[in-house]
Every structure is written in C-alpha cells, then in structure tokens.
Amino acid sequence: MSHPVVRQLRDFVLGSALAVIIATCAFVAVRNRELAAKQIDLASRAADAIAEGQAPLPTVHAVLVGDAVPSTKNPYLRQREVKDGDEWRPLTAGGSFDDKLFYDAASRFERQGRQPFKELLKDGSGCAIAVRDAPAYAQLGHVADRSRGIAIAVTPPAHPAPYPFLVMIGVLGLGAALAAAGALVGGRAARAGTFAGVAAVAIPCVLWRAPIASTAIVLVAAALALAQGAQLTDRLATGMRRHRTALGFLAPAALAMLILVAAPFVIGLVLGFYDHHQGTWTFVGLDNFGEILSGGGRPLDDPLNFWFILGVTVLWTVANVALHVTIGVSLALVLSRKWLAGKGIYRMLFILPWAVPNYITALIWKGMFTGEYGAVNSMLDYAGLDHVSWFGSWATAFSANVITNTWLGFPFMMVVALGALETIPKELYEAAAVDGASAWQRFRHITLPHLRPALGPAVALGSIWTFNMFNVIYLVSAGQPGGATNILVTDAYRWAFERGERYGMAAAYATIIFFILLLWTVFGTRVVRRKGDDS
Amino acid sequence: MTFDPTKSDRELHHRALVRAAWGTVPAELPPPPDPAPLAVAPTGRRARRSATRLLTLLLFGVWLVGCGNHHQGVVLWHAYNGAERTALESTAAQWNAQHPEQELELVAVPYGAFADKLTSAIPGGNGPDLFIYPQDRIGDWADSGVIEPIEFWLDDKRVERFTNEAIAAMAYKGSLWGLPVTVKSLALYYRTDLVETPPASTDELLALAPRMHARDGYAIAYANVDLYGHAPWLFGYGGKIMDDTGKLAIATPEAAAAMGFARELVTTGAAPTRSDGAYVATLFNEGKAATVMSGPWFVADIASNVPWKVAPLPVVSATGRPAAPFLGAEGILMSARAHDKTAAFAVMDALTSDQAAIARARLARQVVPNPAAYEDAEVARDPVLAAFRAQLANTVPMPMGPAMRMVWTPYKTALGEVLAGRAEPGEQLLAVEREVHGYLSGPATH
C-alpha cells in the first residue's frame, strides 16, 4: 500500500477533475451571458444617444438611417440615406463595412412594425446591434416630409474573457494543500481534507454567481469524501491497477462508444424537451411527450395519433416475426434433410435476400408493387385476376410492406434454425423412432424444444430490428395511404424533416421508442427466454 | 450562443492582414527530410521515426494549406447534372479567368440531401457562400435566418434584366433573397404524327380521347396524382392553395371542380389512372399518349425517333381561363454566414448576367429568366424555349410559406383516392386541409 498522502492526492485529482469540468462549463456560460449583456447594453446606449441627438459613444458605430424610399417599379428595392458622422449619404454598396448591416436592420425594423430590437449578431463575432426609432431625425430637419428615422448602433467585436488559468491553478493548489494536510493528520481529517480541497474549486463559481455549479461541486466533494470513507476509491484504484492491460484494450472501443453512441443519445434525450421553430430552440418541458402520448387531440383512428401508430407498429412487428420464424424454421427443416440433393445451392439461394442491402430490395419490391406496370399486378393480370392498387388501401399497403420485410427477414431465422438443428443429437430421434413416435411427435417433443434456446434470442433481436425497420416502410409504402402505414420511426423522421423541422417532437418520439424497446428487452425477452428454459 | 472568431466574417475583416501572413506560411516550411535514409535505414526504429516525422510534417502542411485557403474565394453548392452542370461550370471558369483573386469553387451536392445539409450547416458557419435552389424554401430559410437578403446591392437596372415573375419569385416579406437562374413550369408536349395542332381547350383535349382509344392510348398523360402535375387544372379552375394573406385555402368549390375534372379525364379514358414521370415518357414514346404535360426536363426523355413539339397549355373550357402551372424559379441564394458577402454577391451577379444566361440557354436549354437572352439568334431559334417562355405568362408562383411544404404529401394522397374512384373531391380536400392544420399546430403554438 502506497503512502497515504499519495492516495489522498490521487483521490483529490479524481474529484478536482470533475469539479474543474463543472467550473469550466459554468465559467463559459457566465462569461457568454455577461459579455452578451454588456455588448447589448453598449449598443442600446449608443442607439439611445444617437436617437436623442447626443454625441455617439466613442467605440460604437452608431448611425441614423432614413426611412425607405421604395423604387416605383420594384417595391422590394428601397433606397435609404444614412447619417454616419456629420454628413448624410446614400446607404448603398461601396460605403462602410457595416452599411449592409444597417440597411438590413432598418428593413427588419420596418417589417416588424417599428418595434425596437437589440441582440447579438448571429455570426459569432460577439458584436451586438441595437435598433430603435429616432425622433431626432425630424428635429434635424434633413428631409421635411420624412418625419421619422431609425437609430442603429453596432458594437465592435468582443472577445470573451480568457480562461482564468491562474485562478484555477491557485485554487487547485490550495485544494491540494488542504487535501494533503488532511491526509497527514489522518483519519477523519483526511476525509475533511478531501472535501475541503475539492470544494475549494467552488470558490470561483461563487464569485461568478453560478449557484448550480457551486452546489454541484460541493456535492461532488461530499460524494468523494463519503466514497473515500467507504474505501471505494482504494478499491477502484486497486482494480484498475490489476486490470491495467484489459482496460488499455477496452479504452479505444469505450472512447468510440462514448463519442458515437453515448453522446448522440444524451443529446437526443435532451432535445426531446425543446421545441424547434425556425432555428430557435425553446425549452418546453414535457410538452412534446404530452402531445405525443395524448394523441395530440386527434381521434384514435387518425394516422397521426401516437397510439394508432403504436398499434400499427406492434402489428407490423408481430406479423413479421411470426412469418420470419415460421418460414425460416420450415425451410431449415427441409434443408436439414439428409436425402436432399444440391443442399448448398438452395441454402445459398435462400440466404441471398439477406445478402442484398435491404434498401435495394425494398426499392425493387416497391417497383414490383406499382399500379399499372408493376410485376405483381402483371402477374395477377396473367392469372386473370383484377389489378390491386397496392398503396391505395391500408390492408394492401400494409401487406406489401409485410411481404417485402418477410422476404428480407426469413433467411436470418433460417440460418439460426439450421445451426440449432445441427446440434440436436441423432440418438434422440433414433430412440424416439424405436419407441414408435410419429413424425409430428418427434418434431413437437424433440426438435422444437431444442430449437427454442437458439430461436429465443433470435426472436428478441428480430423483433427489435423489425420494430425499427425504417427502410422498408419508408421506401415501399412511404406511409401511404395518408400516413396510415407509418411505424413509429418513420413518423419520427417525418416530424423532423417533413413537417416543419419539429426536431423536438422527433427526439421525443425517439426517446419513447427507446423506452418501449428497453421495456421489451428487459421483460419481453425474459418471457421468451424463460419459455426456452422451461422445456 | 457561441463565440468562434474563426467563423466570423466581421472578425475576418479585422484580421485580413494577419490572415494574409498566415497564407504564406506553408511556402516557408522547411523542406521535408530527404527520403533516402528511409530506404537504407540501418535500423527499423530510425526509419520509423523519420517516417513519423515526415507524416507529421505532411499533415501539418496540409493543415496550414487548408487554413490558408479556407476563407479565400467563394464556394457555391449546386445539384446540377449533365448539360446544366457543364453550362454552369463554363460560366464559373470564365469568372475564375477574370477574377483570379476571388476564386469560385463549385461543389456538386446530391439533390436529395441538399436542403437538409444547408439547413444544418449554415447556422454553424460551415455551409457554402452561395447555393442554387428552387424558391420554395426561401420563406422557411428567410424566417430562420439561413439566407441573406440581397436588395442592398441591387438597383432597378440590375433587377430589370429578369422577368417580373422570376424576380418576384425571389421576394419574400418585402426583401429579395436571390437572383433567378432558371424558371420551370409545365407546358404541353404533343406528337406531331398524332395531332397536327395542339388542343387549345380542354374540350378539344377530351375530343381527342376516342381517336386515341382506338390506338389503345390516351389523349393526355401527366403526373396526375402529384399536386405539381395537377396544379394547371387547379389554377385553371380558379382553385387555390393559400389565399392572399397566406392562410390555407385548400378546400374550395373551385379546387373540387378541378379535382373532378382530373377524375373525368381518367373515367373517360382520356388519361391513365395513375401515372408518374417514367410512365408518361413510355406512353409518349410508344405513341400511346398524344400529348404530355411536363416541364423542360422532359426533352431528355423523348426518344430520338419521335416527332414532337411544345405548346402552351390549353384553356380550361369550363371557366375560359388558361390552365396555369406552378412557376418554379431556381435562384442563387446567399448564406447568411457567407464569408465575404460583397464578393459573393459579385459572383451571383455575374452568374445571372445576360451573357451567362445565353450560355445556359444554349448549352443546357434552360428556360432563363433574362429577356435579353432571347434576342440571341441561337436561343431565339429554339422552339422549345419559345413555348416555355410563352407559357410563363400563365403561371402561378409557387407559394413560399413553410405551410406549403406540408401540403404536397396529403394532396397527393387525396388525388390518388379521388382518381381511383374511392372518394369525393370535396371531402378529400377537407381532409387535406385538416391534416396540414394538424402539422402546423403543436405544443408551442407559433
């Protein structure tokens, strides 16, 4: 066991790293907010000054802009004049760098009914702009018949305050000293040292007036002190030292999972609480979930009602998995016969649908189902039957989807069943034959029970795949007729990209889908598996 | 809110000199180490080390070059293929020859991903400076601050080189958001071996049906379940999508009459039940459709042995008004985060000049919105361009509000139901209006 001070510092590094991350987030947020407020205030004061005919503030580019004189032929072309300094000049291209900005701001001001506005420019420069009415324009008496003008001020770009490295280093040094001192005293003082050391990082947060971050850091400090008391940190360190090689091998994959899976997942989860409208995000709490789960006030048979879509999705999943398993197992039973010649060729042919990328298969089937010249209707023609308008009614459109996905899905079940069949000992069949069991009895009491352990997980997996089978629904029926064959994922997609960028709704949908599947994997698969274990 | 100095054009403005200095750095890099030791390296470790060093230097060089080039010139995204792309590239080459300091870089982006890419890239400061897109997203993008208003740089003279309809298609909420490159509408293609004069009214069109029936064919083929294909009848009957204030006005008696007419075309056998672009082309090429309602792009689908001409669409006999297709205008739009907006506008201006329009009309047979281009002898001789230009007088600009994008799919479903004889136009139109209202309302009512 190493020296207590070393152990104490190890724990301190762990806790302070977390605390520094929290403090940094707080710093960035506070700094951005303060800077924005400062810049907007500066712009607003400058606009006020120029509107009231006072001297402009030194660093701010503040001007008076005249009302628009629209072109007689093209109403969207408007000429304006600007008083930049002492002189009035036309506001056109070739003037100062900010002229375009003034022109557009003035247009927006007039379009919004002369409502004053002040905001940061959206180009990330940190410049703020303020626009308001300028009654002074009339007093200046530049043009008698135009009584009002617009005061516009643009601040210079602002640079956010640099990260306070010195403060952080100082605080960390203080914290480390406190922690080490605690360790030297030993016992309960060691824990107190850890707590005080980590909590020291909260000091700058208090100064930045960031209560949430300060509390979070104190909580981290308390949690660490408690963990230290329960010797959790010691055990963790020992474990990590012992499995150093294994962890080293795991690290790249873990990092990739963190970036590619965990981060988008968390972002998606958070987006569900926001509403997106024309580039701006508003926090709406549980409203999205409320609208989805309440059906949004739509009747139950409305294809936009969540419960209708959920019903379709469940039906879709059940129908598909049932067909996949039946067809897959039947084919596997045939293919496992000893007497069958050319088994390899059949096997390869049956696996082929699986090997073709599923969106290509879906597009081919979509083509085959089309109205007047699709292959399916041509075959019906040949057989003397009427044409079916496949995507005209719910039942036929849904069937078209199921047929396509069955084609895509049975090979997987077949392969799984074939593998499982290989493992059944021949002796069982021989013994059963000696006892005079019929073919059905042999299937029912020997084959089926042996297939179950392999088919259980395959069914669980297949049901999740089918539940989220975006490609088939989107490409084959595309939700026709009237969105009634959409499943949850395709409807979520439509909320995001076809119904006015309602990303928040789509994210909430995705979250709900996730929880449905989570429940299914935790409880549903347990049922499937238990059935397998019973026999 | 983000502060990212590298992505702000204002910051660039302040730092132009610094950046110019940065651009020269790659030239002063020490030459890469002689690769010879690599070949004869006595020990693996040394070879490996020099290889690593070389690689690092190379990466560093690439990074610097990337940095230096990033903000110079103008980047334009487009989704053009074939002749249109060639024509655009030739104009771009001309610009680059004349303005070596403001290089124009064309980037072809697949059409399917175009709009989503722009919507997500531009607000982060990562998109192009300019892009070419049909006008139907202008409303959306203007409201969400994706695109830049451009009337600041324009005067009457610049604007008047375009037809009124085309430039009006680029206007939204009292501002101009782009310069038009081409206008697209439907017109009537007809086979000269089947009809001598194109039908001037819908009655004449219906009268064609019996004769075509004898050939197992149709009087007219068009994408009849699409709102875009159906629009000429809709507007010819006086129907609407939105009223003048931008409110939905889908379920009107006129719109129902238009949908009834589309059904009549099907029930009388004058038009096939459900057709899309590929099927229409097949019918026309096989002589099974006397006329086809389609746009300029249809020329490429016509087989070389088919004798054909183009004429403006017929008059709707019931109302006496000409059938009026949607007018779609494609324009060059500017990103709100363009790096050098003045330079970007200069490129826009050059790419939509009369000369550039003539080049596009000649090379790609684009229906250009510059009247002056039609004075060019070669363009004036083109009968297809003449017919489409004549059709422009009777068109309806495609609505730009965000609601329009939600109308297409429900309307298509409604047309499908009515044409299949499963539902009545009136009730279907009501359902469309209800559905679009359903999309527009939400938890946060805007």
Side-chain angles (χ1 to χ4, degrees), chain A residues 356-365 475:
Chain A
V356 179
N358 61 14
Y359 59 92
I360 291 178
T361 313
L363 284 173
I364 292 173
W365 277 95
L475 295 173

Side-chain angles (χ1 to χ4, degrees), chain A residues 4 8 181-194 228-229:
Chain A
Q8 175 80 340
L184 285 177
V185 177
R188 201 167 285 177
R191 259 103 70 192
T194 312
Q228 209 180 24

Side-chain angles (χ1 to χ4, degrees), chain A residues 164-255:
Chain A
F165 279 110
L166 284 179
V167 174
M168 292 313 272
I169 291 172
V171 166
L172 285 176
L174 172 72
L178 282 172
L184 285 177
V185 177
R188 201 167 285 177
R191 259 103 70 192
T194 312
F195 176 76
V198 174
V201 184
I203 297 171
C205 290
V206 173
L207 294 179
W208 297 327
R209 272 165 291 166
I212 299 178
S214 316
T215 322
I217 292 173
V218 172
L219 285 178
V220 165
L224 185 70
L226 285 177
Q228 209 180 24
Q231 301 204 320
L232 279 178
T233 51
D234 282 342
R235 262 186 274 161
L236 187 71
T238 324
M240 282 183 67
R241 210 172 306 127
R242 194 178 304 146
H243 302 294
R244 195 180 296 157
T245 324
L247 288 171
F249 280 117
L250 278 177
L255 190 70

